[in-house]
Amino acid sequence: MIILGIETSCDETSVAVLENEKVLSNIVFSQITIHKKFGGVVPEVAARHHLLNLPIIYEKALEEAGISGKQINAIAVTYGPGLIGALLVGLSFAKGLALRYGIPLIGVNHIIGHVYANYIAYPDLKPPFIVLMVSGGHTEILKVEENKIEVLGKTVDDAAGEAFDKVARILGLGYPGGPEIEKISKVGDPNKFNFPRPMLNSKDYNFSFSGLKTSVLYTAQELKNNIPIADIAASFQEAVIDVLLKKTFKAARNNGINKIVLAGGVVANSRLRQKAKSLGKKYNYEILIPPLEFCTDNAAMIAMAGYYKILNGEISSLELEAVPNLKINS
Ligand code: KG4
Ligand code: ZN
């Protein structure tokens, strides 16, 4: 079966072609350079660029996969959560193709897509496993079992990547903030500032990063013209990683699961990867980190989630609407 995946929920325009579980192509066009000058993603601009680029990316994905449109058997598309204008571009394009070729449309939840990215990277992966999903828009701990995904915890305010981006702005670093903070942290002291670890010891698996960000802001304001940027960045990064990993490992332990998967753009952070691996080794957990190509937003993961849905007989109607705040189990 040939499945076409379409992802346009934020600032990546992506189209992928899968033959069953095999990725034949996965084209991703990132709009980062366009949004950089605004210091963040501008929704209206994102939607316009999806509109401009999607037909081109679609042709490229078919070409690289060596197929023609007529060979597509089903279309999987992200219908939420995400930016409404951006989602509508992908969804409308997908509906057009479904009508043109008379093939089924499968709406996919973007977060569930991130979970299915693991099946691309690790075809032998079997549930149960715990997922730490950390990106610019999401921070969640998921428990994945056969045919069931449960949200164990999530951020009550900022997403982890969002906190990186906001702190980078406070420190006068560029956008996106995560890579900038990581880079400068390499020459900073992670123990110089003892920033708060919000909700570290709370009984739930939720996160909060807004207080941590404010604490960085106050520290920077107090130090005025003499800000040790590298030390602040390194100490902030350490605080975020501490909370993310402590809670994830706690979730794994309390649920009797020994497999932990990291997913989402923040997983590009080498300190996070390295700490996760060393903690895994120490406490005997298997740590799986998909290649970055499948951690950040991409259409292959959407097509993979769609493939599993279609095997389950789950097909969407052409009336499917974009849902910006779509929840996991809705
Ligand atoms: O998954 P992603 O590419 O897009 C979505 O938000 O869905 O994640 C982007 C986020 C941004 O907030 C960015 O600052 C963060 O991931 N990020 C990082 C790193 N690279 C990207 N955060 C920390 N360290 C990094 N190296
Ligand atoms: Zn994402």
Side-chain angles (χ1 to χ4, degrees):
M1 187 195 307
I2 299 281
I3 304 116
L4 187 93
I6 297 178
E7 158 63 38
T8 62
S9 66
C10 190
D11 60 341
E12 263 91 31
T13 314
S14 181
V15 180
V17 178
L18 258 62
E19 184 173 11
N20 299 331
E21 281 143 311
K22 188 167 168 233
V23 179
L24 300 183
S25 65
N26 180 39
I27 311 290
V28 182
F29 174 76
S30 171
Q31 300 177 6
I32 277 188
T33 48
I34 297 157
H35 297 281
K36 223 180 175 102
K37 54 181 174 291
F38 303 110
V41 177
V42 183
E44 168 81 15
V45 174
R48 283 172 187 269
H49 280 89
H50 286 311
L51 203 52
L52 276 174
N53 294 321
L54 188 51
I56 303 162
I57 305 287
Y58 166 70
E59 292 296 341
K60 226 174 148 187
L62 293 189
E63 193 188 318
E64 198 169 285
I67 62 153
S68 71
K70 286 198 289 272
Q71 288 173 270
I72 306 170
N73 301 114
I75 314 257
V77 61
T78 304
Y79 73 107
L83 304 168
I84 182 72
L87 288 167
L88 278 172
V89 175
L91 189 56
S92 310
F93 193 86
K95 285 181 183 177
L97 287 176
L99 274 172
R100 175 174 173 193
Y101 293 118
I103 51 178
L105 177 81
I106 308 142
V108 172
N109 180 312
H110 180 80
I111 309 286
I112 306 272
H114 275 293
V115 173
Y116 276 87
N118 297 295
Y119 291 98
I120 306 172
Y122 306 107
D124 298 329
L125 179 65
K126 296 267 175 301
F129 54 90
I130 294 288
V131 182
L132 171 65
M133 184 31 239
V134 269
S135 72
H138 321 283
T139 298
E140 268 130 26
I141 296 180
L142 309 172
K143 177 178 164 185
V144 180
E145 294 174 294
E146 209 68 60
N147 295 323
K148 190 175 160 208
I149 297 177
E150 189 185 341
V151 183
L152 295 180
K154 58 180 183 179
T155 181
V156 297
D157 41 55
D158 294 346
E162 195 181 350
F164 269 95
D165 295 336
K166 287 178 175 170
V167 164
R169 202 174 308 158
I170 293 170
L171 298 178
L173 303 170
Y175 175 86
E180 300 291 329
I181 297 232
E182 177 181 357
K183 197 160 75 189
I184 200 161
S185 292
K186 291 200 193 317
V187 293
D189 176 0
N191 301 312
K192 182 86 178 183
F193 294 90
N194 188 18
F195 287 126
R197 267 81 172 144
M199 303 182 77
L200 183 66
N201 295 312
S202 65
K203 288 217 158 46
D204 53 32
Y205 303 111
N206 288 336
F207 301 100
S208 164
F209 294 109
S210 142
L212 170 58
K213 171 198 66 194
T214 310
S215 177
V216 172
L217 176 66
Y218 288 162
T219 305
Q221 281 173 345
E222 261 169 42
L223 294 168
K224 278 198 191 106
N225 299 325
N226 198 14
I227 304 176
I229 297 179
D231 292 338
I232 295 188
S235 304
F236 159 78
Q237 176 176 268
E238 208 64 8
V240 175
I241 293 174
D242 269 0
V243 190
L244 289 175
L245 292 180
K246 182 159 183 192
K247 290 229 148 159
T248 305
F249 276 78
K250 186 169 113 179
R253 188 177 60 241
N254 290 350
N255 284 279
I257 294 174
N258 68 352
K259 242 180 279 172
I260 296 174
V261 175
L262 307 190
V266 179
V267 176
N269 188 288
S270 56
R271 180 94 177 156
L272 172 64
R273 300 158 85 100
Q274 170 218 324
K275 281 200 113 178
K277 282 188 185 149
S278 67
L279 282 174
K281 212 167 181 185
K282 185 169 169 194
Y283 296 113
N284 222 2
Y285 288 90
E286 190 182 348
I287 307 294
L288 304 172
I289 306 177
L292 265 193
E293 175 193 3
F294 300 124
C295 277
T296 49
D297 290 350
N298 67 87
M301 68 184 195
I302 302 302
M304 184 63 93
Y307 173 62
Y308 276 83
K309 273 188 125 174
I310 206 165
L311 290 184
N312 240 350
E314 294 175 52
I315 287 168
S316 308
S317 108
L318 284 179
E319 313 284 302
L320 182 70
E321 290 191 29
V323 186
N325 60 353
L326 184 66
K327 300 284 177 286
I328 282 204
N329 290 316
S330 54

